Amino acid sequence: MNNSDNKTLEQRFKFPIILISILIPVAVAVLFTVKLKDFGIEVEPLSFLPPIYASINGFTAILLVMGVTAIRKGNQKVHERLMTSAIACSVIFLVMYIAYHMTADSTVYGDIDGNKILDATEKANAGSMRSAYLFILLSHIVLSIAIIPLVLVTYVRALASRFDRHKKIAKITFPLWLYVAVTGVVVYLMISPYYAN
């Protein structure tokens, strides 16, 4: 593949990347509000999923670090496989995340009695940890939206063998994606005590 073919490949993926980068967050936002029970479909909450998709986030973080380590050692094939696996894990996470939220109500941090309302006593008990949780959650959500086009552009540039451009954007994509993967685990660990309520 010559340089003009590589540019063409990158340009060919431009619109699909933009479309996917818009559709995924919109679809997640819409599906997050849709509950199967609203359509008369009675399904037990898939309460086994959060620890699984949190673990997938942790595994994604490990794959990312291994992928960067592999490329630093010059092992391009291993790097490619690890990064492709990290993308696959992110897709699996997304499917599980949506499935869980379509069958279960959202959990409120600090809601000890499980009534989905945070009263003054619960808020006081949660204290500054609630603020920390909300900051981590908000940054996780915002960056998880931002990394969609970054990951896709980074991947397409590698497919197009435009490694100079790939490396440049990967320096931005990697730390953000790693942050999203790690904070996915942190958010789960912080909210999990309130799941049972």
Side-chain angles (χ1 to χ4, degrees):
M1 199 181 285
N2 63 40
N3 197 39
S4 64
D5 290 339
N6 292 343
K7 281 183 185 174
T8 305
L9 181 66
E10 199 174 340
Q11 289 167 349
R12 215 173 33 193
F13 278 100
K14 188 175 183 178
F15 179 73
I17 287 171
I18 292 169
L19 190 63
I20 290 167
S21 298
I22 294 168
L23 285 179
I24 288 176
V26 169
V28 170
V30 169
L31 292 172
F32 197 84
T33 62
V34 172
K35 302 292 181 220
L36 293 178
K37 64 184 177 187
D38 297 339
F39 298 97
I41 302 170
E42 291 301 321
V43 179
E44 285 295 313
L46 302 174
S47 54
F48 63 92
L49 285 180
I52 296 171
Y53 64 65
S55 298
I56 289 172
N57 265 328
F59 188 61
T60 300
I62 292 167
L63 289 171
L64 291 172
V65 171
M66 289 172 62
V68 169
T69 302
I71 201 64
R72 285 185 178 153
K73 290 181 178 177
N75 198 332
Q76 188 175 335
K77 278 291 174 201
V78 171
H79 171 75
E80 183 182 329
R81 287 186 196 116
L82 289 166
M83 301 317 274
T84 302
S85 298
I87 291 171
C89 284
S90 293
V91 171
I92 293 166
F93 161 82
L94 186 61
V95 170
M96 288 184 175
Y97 181 80
I98 291 169
Y100 171 73
H101 284 285
M102 288 181 74
T103 63
D105 292 324
S106 292
T107 303
V108 178
Y109 186 89
D111 182 22
I112 296 167
D113 61 12
N115 67 355
K116 308 299 178 204
I117 299 167
L118 201 63
D119 63 35
T121 304
E122 289 172 325
K123 196 169 187 176
N125 285 340
S128 61
M129 285 304 293
R130 178 171 165 75
S131 298
Y133 169 78
L134 291 174
F135 173 79
I136 295 167
L137 177 63
L138 183 61
S139 64
H140 172 81
I141 291 168
V142 168
L143 291 175
S144 69
I145 293 167
I147 65 163
I148 295 168
L150 289 172
V151 168
L152 294 174
V153 168
T154 305
Y155 194 73
V156 167
R157 286 182 179 176
L159 288 177
S161 300
R162 304 206 62 197
F163 297 116
D164 54 331
R165 293 168 54 82
H166 168 79
K167 187 176 179 181
K168 192 179 285 187
I169 196 169
K171 287 181 179 181
I172 299 166
T173 305
F174 169 71
L176 295 180
W177 194 1
L178 184 62
Y179 178 85
V180 168
V182 170
T183 55
V185 178
V186 172
V187 164
Y188 166 74
L189 293 173
M190 292 181 81
I191 196 73
S192 62
Y194 304 103
Y195 275 138
N197 297 322

